[in-house]
Amino acid sequence: MIRINENNVFSIAIFLFGLLIFSATLDLRDDIALIPKIMSFCLVLFSGWQMIYDLFPTIREKININSKRQEKKEEFSLSDSAAAQEEDEIETKELVKKRYFFIGWMILFITLVYFTSMIWGILISMILYLKWISKETWKMTILYSASVALFIYLVFVVGFEIYYFM
Amino acid sequence: MGFLSQLGNVLQLDMMLFLVAGVLYGLIIGILPGLGGSIAMALLIPLTFSLTPEQAIVLLISAYGSSNFGGSLTSILINTPGDASNAATAFDGFPLAKKGKAGMAIAAAMVASALGGLIGLLVLDLMIPVARKLILAFSYPEFFMLAIFGLTIIAVVTTGSLFKGIISGLIGLMFAYIGTDPIMGSDRFTFGMDYLWDGIPLLAVIIGMFGITEAFSLFSQNKAIAHDVQVNKGGTWQGIKSVFQNFWLFLRSCFIGIYLGMIPGVGGTVASFMAYGTAVQMAKDKEKFGKGAIEGVIAVEAANDSKEGGNLLPTLAFGIPGGASMAVLIGGLMIHGLTPGPDMLTNNLDITYFLIAAAIVGKFVAMFFGLLLGPKLVFVTKIRGSIMAPAIITVSLVGAYGTDGKFGDIMVALLFGLIGYYMMKYGYSRIALIIALVLGKLMESSYHQTMATFGPEGFVTRPIALTLVVLTIASLIWHFIKKMKQKNQMKGELAA
């Protein structure tokens, strides 16, 4: 049975990254891309095994049963994954939601930087974060956001004349 | 000691005022993520036009020398390195802050930096006449073996699953190979993106992997950095003492820094990572590294500052800049009619010794301010996580963007922040990834250069390369023997 959670998605992403780089090395000459070829092949191999291990709990259990030495499991088997799987299961939906909210806020931050400027991006995103994510008071929100934005403005724009911050 | 003849000139009131101003400015620049010694000097050069060459030297060299002090403060306190060369300080400095020992880590970093800088500059003073031979002893096979030796650190510094540590290292290598290949100069793994032609920006990756990941974790837990421990406010003396208690480690790291600093193109980042790796490899208790070992901080900081002495050697003696900072320094000196090269060792020898004297005094002034201000910043480790998180994100993104003004750098920092968070969550090693990213390019380019210049026998016929091969194999075997012994011991205890 396949189990899908954040840990497995991360393992799949690493495997796909390895596969992408390895496939890109196939077009390159052997003599000039020898090291990337070898290393990306190793990455595909290792991350592929890790992915299978994470995706199929039955395989993991079999390996763990077959492995007689507990300490060996800790050293070279993949026992961290088992711990991570368990951690995933006990992680509440609230925490996961909170985390995605934070990722969303960071994406909003860089979107604001792209469409306005670094200083305005800092000011707006800090206000949004402090008021709606961290649930701080208005006084704290305004003071903290304005102080950080002003500090960055004074140091980088006024002090170092970095034009692209405005 | 030629610099002693110039010490009196540096200690004059007007020079000392320039020196203190340069040190304070360098400390602030160092604290700001993304801005390092080269930027500190580049921004100062226009201000030196109206100054005498001596005043300009004092201002530039003190700002450059103290920027590293500031960078280590943020590495220790908020896991956000000021510059790429400060990244390895965070490996053990930040875990120490989490244990409530930020004051001790800062003090150790400041003293190791100042004394490391002093040793580097003293060696520079002594080495000027015999520099050439030493620089030429290191060639491509030695660089390749040095990179391989560095990569074996991954096996040692990985805590938890070694298998995942190897995967992390391989990911780091893959990121290192993005950009242009070292032989033909053609692009590879760029997937049609012009931005990737220069490779993945190291500083943005480091800022993301450490700063943003930490902010993420602070936000998730909503706890302060040192949340469940009493912050040790009296750690300054302990930190100072620790440098002298680990004096051989300190001295060894200094010489690694000096030697790698002398070799143009290797860079301070490699020097600090190599010093860290050697400290781990040669320690009796390797397990404590990455979890808050003061030795990790001392080794990195000593190498980081002592490399300046090494860096100055080819710069002053041959006019060959060891790195970006030295290229800026050459520019600054040339504006004042001083051309680095043989001229600096003949006609302008006094100026050369003056520069060394100013750098030495600058190190101690920087240490004074670092010890005065640094421990006072420890309070940040007690601020609530949800309040610290946006500030760290802001400072990190500003640092990533401020260096080159490329929007892509912000994206890279954010992406690696997320990757770092999931790596941390699922037991992958961020340190292994960074080590491989730093050493990957050096390993590949030196491999091809060796094959082209010496052929495959170059790896095993040159004495220094051969020594490094032996050291690499021996350190790996020793690590695994020790692991086996520990397992057997544990097994015995369980059976009993």
Side-chain angles (χ1 to χ4, degrees):
Chain A
M1 195 183 76
I2 295 176
R3 184 154 58 178
I4 298 288
N5 54 26
E6 267 188 341
N7 182 30
N8 300 343
V9 172
F10 190 60
S11 302
I12 294 168
I14 294 173
F15 174 70
L16 290 177
F17 169 71
L19 206 62
L20 182 73
I21 296 281
F22 179 65
S23 61
T25 61
L26 297 177
D27 300 332
L28 301 172
R29 267 170 45 187
D30 276 348
D31 56 340
I32 61 167
L34 182 69
I35 294 180
K37 258 183 195 177
I38 296 170
M39 295 302 166
S40 59
F41 179 72
C42 292
L43 179 61
V44 170
L45 221 62
F46 279 58
S47 60
W49 176 239
Q50 179 69 50
M51 183 183 70
I52 291 167
Y53 187 88
D54 287 340
L55 271 175
F56 301 98
T58 44
I59 294 178
R60 189 172 61 237
E61 279 153 23
K62 256 187 186 172
I63 293 168
N64 286 346
I65 289 163
N66 292 339
S67 169
K68 286 176 185 167
R69 291 181 185 174
Q70 185 61 30
E71 67 273 17
K72 196 170 184 178
K73 263 196 286 177
E74 283 162 15
E75 164 67 17
F76 205 81
S77 82
L78 312 140
S79 62
D80 275 13
S81 296
Q85 299 271 19
E86 280 162 23
E87 195 189 307
D88 261 5
E89 280 160 16
I90 56 167
E91 198 174 43
T92 60
K93 278 185 179 171
E94 186 64 30
L95 274 174
V96 177
K97 203 174 130 189
K98 208 176 151 190
R99 187 162 63 242
Y100 288 131
F101 219 54
F102 193 63
I103 295 173
W105 173 75
M106 286 198 286
I107 293 168
L108 177 78
F109 188 167
I110 60 167
T111 312
L112 280 168
V113 171
Y114 185 76
F115 285 107
T116 59
S117 69
M118 179 56 91
I119 304 296
W120 285 111
I122 290 169
L123 189 66
I124 299 167
S125 55
M126 286 280 276
I127 291 174
L128 291 175
Y129 171 90
L130 291 165
K131 193 63 212 161
W132 283 283
I133 300 178
S134 188
K135 310 253 188 274
E136 304 295 335
T137 60
W138 272 112
K139 191 180 164 189
M140 172 77 163
T141 303
I142 302 291
L143 267 176
Y144 192 17
S145 313
S147 312
V148 173
L150 187 68
F151 173 75
I152 302 292
Y153 174 77
L154 289 175
V155 172
F156 286 88
V157 182
V158 178
F160 299 140
E161 295 174 352
I162 298 180
Y163 66 94
Y164 48 78
F165 267 52
M166 273 310 282
Chain B
M1 293 282 174
F3 81 92
L4 288 173
S5 62
Q6 294 295 325
L7 209 53
N9 293 333
V10 174
L11 293 173
Q12 284 174 12
L13 185 66
D14 61 329
M15 292 297 174
M16 284 307 287
L17 286 175
F18 278 112
L19 197 131
V20 170
V23 163
L24 289 174
Y25 164 81
L27 273 173
I28 294 166
I29 293 279
I31 286 172
L32 300 170
L35 305 183
S38 54
I39 294 174
M41 282 195 291
L43 293 169
L44 269 182
I45 286 176
L47 300 178
T48 67
F49 289 157
S50 56
L51 304 180
T52 64
E54 287 81 5
Q55 288 168 338
I57 285 173
V58 165
L59 198 61
L60 291 174
I61 207 77
S62 55
Y64 169 62
S66 58
S67 62
N68 178 48
F69 287 72
S72 54
L73 284 178
T74 48
S75 287
I76 293 166
L77 292 172
I78 54 170
N79 207 15
T80 307
D83 201 11
S85 56
N86 295 119
T89 310
F91 294 171
D92 278 291
F94 186 65
L96 277 167
K98 277 175 137 175
K99 289 178 181 173
K101 294 179 179 173
M104 178 191 178
I106 289 171
M110 296 298 138
V111 175
S113 284
L115 295 182
L118 170 72
I119 289 178
L121 291 159
L122 289 180
V123 171
L124 166 70
D125 190 291
L126 295 170
M127 291 293 290
I128 284 176
V130 289
R132 197 180 149 79
K133 263 189 183 172
L134 204 70
I135 292 171
L136 294 180
F138 241 71
S139 190
Y140 311 124
E142 285 78 19
F143 286 134
F144 178 77
M145 288 306 167
L146 204 62
I148 296 287
F149 182 62
L151 286 172
T152 58
I153 306 162
I154 290 172
V156 184
V157 295
T158 302
T159 51
S161 164
L162 177 61
F163 191 80
K164 284 186 174 177
I166 295 170
I167 293 177
S168 311
L170 287 168
I171 298 171
L173 285 177
M174 290 303 104
F175 282 124
Y177 298 140
I178 291 175
T180 48
D181 80 68
I183 299 183
M184 309 292 285
S186 51
D187 68 307
R188 62 180 183 188
F189 316 133
T190 56
F191 307 104
M193 283 181 267
D194 293 350
Y195 171 76
L196 292 176
W197 274 54
D198 288 336
I200 297 271
L202 181 63
L203 189 68
V205 173
I206 289 171
I207 284 176
M209 284 293 239
F210 291 97
I212 295 179
T213 298
E214 204 47 55
F216 218 116
S217 139
L218 279 172
F219 171 80
S220 304
Q221 294 164 6
N222 197 16
K223 288 172 185 164
I225 291 166
H227 58 90
D228 52 356
V229 290
Q230 181 78 32
V231 171
N232 182 2
K233 285 177 183 162
T236 309
W237 179 239
Q238 252 180 308
I240 296 170
K241 230 168 52 179
S242 67
V243 177
F244 296 98
Q245 281 165 345
N246 295 286
F247 199 72
W248 288 116
L249 162 81
F250 162 78
L251 217 55
R252 197 172 60 228
S253 308
C254 285
F255 284 103
I256 291 171
I258 294 166
Y259 201 79
L260 292 179
M262 274 183 210
I263 301 154
V266 176
T269 312
V270 173
S272 57
F273 276 81
M274 287 308 301
Y276 184 77
T278 314
V280 177
Q281 300 274 28
M282 298 182 82
K284 279 180 191 162
D285 182 12
K286 294 177 171 60
E287 305 293 324
K288 65 182 176 183
F289 283 85
K291 295 171 191 158
I294 196 72
E295 293 89 340
V297 176
I298 294 167
V300 174
E301 287 302 316
N304 218 355
D305 276 67
S306 62
K307 69 136 199 316
E308 284 167 22
N311 253 328
L312 280 165
L313 193 63
T315 308
L316 296 175
F318 313 120
I320 304 167
S325 308
M326 289 298 110
V328 177
L329 180 69
I330 287 180
L333 291 175
M334 286 175 85
I335 285 170
H336 291 275
L338 301 164
T339 311
D343 212 33
M344 288 295 281
L345 307 183
T346 50
N347 299 333
N348 293 319
L349 192 61
D350 282 354
I351 288 283
T352 302
Y353 286 130
F354 179 83
L355 187 147
I356 296 171
I360 288 174
V361 178
K363 287 284 171 205
F364 284 95
V365 174
M367 182 180 76
F368 171 75
F369 282 111
L371 285 175
L372 192 74
L373 304 173
K376 291 194 171 46
L377 298 172
V378 168
F379 74 91
V380 299
T381 61
K382 277 289 178 194
I383 297 174
R384 187 159 38 101
S386 62
I387 293 285
M388 278 296 283
I392 294 177
I393 296 275
T394 303
V395 169
S396 299
L397 295 184
V398 162
Y401 190 51
T403 319
D404 291 323
K406 287 181 186 168
F407 187 74
D409 290 354
I410 300 185
M411 306 279 280
V412 168
L414 185 65
L415 181 69
F416 275 87
L418 289 177
I419 293 173
Y421 176 74
Y422 283 106
M423 285 182 83
M424 192 167 74
K425 192 166 184 240
Y426 297 120
Y428 291 87
S429 169
R430 288 178 295 161
I431 299 178
L433 189 148
I434 296 289
I435 289 171
L437 182 62
V438 171
L439 299 175
K441 263 191 184 153
L442 177 70
M443 180 179 85
E444 195 194 9
S445 58
S446 54
Y447 166 78
H448 287 298
Q449 284 158 336
T450 305
M451 293 297 278
T453 318
F454 301 95
E457 63 272 16
F459 294 113
V460 286
T461 51
R462 294 169 61 90
I464 300 177
L466 205 59
T467 312
L468 285 166
V469 174
V470 173
L471 273 176
T472 306
I473 296 168
S475 71
L476 277 176
I477 291 173
W478 174 242
H479 174 67
F480 287 109
I481 288 175
K482 212 176 165 194
K483 280 263 174 193
M484 290 290 282
K485 266 187 183 173
Q486 276 175 351
K487 273 180 210 166
N488 289 336
Q489 203 180 341
M490 271 175 69
K491 215 174 158 186
E493 279 168 13
L494 278 172

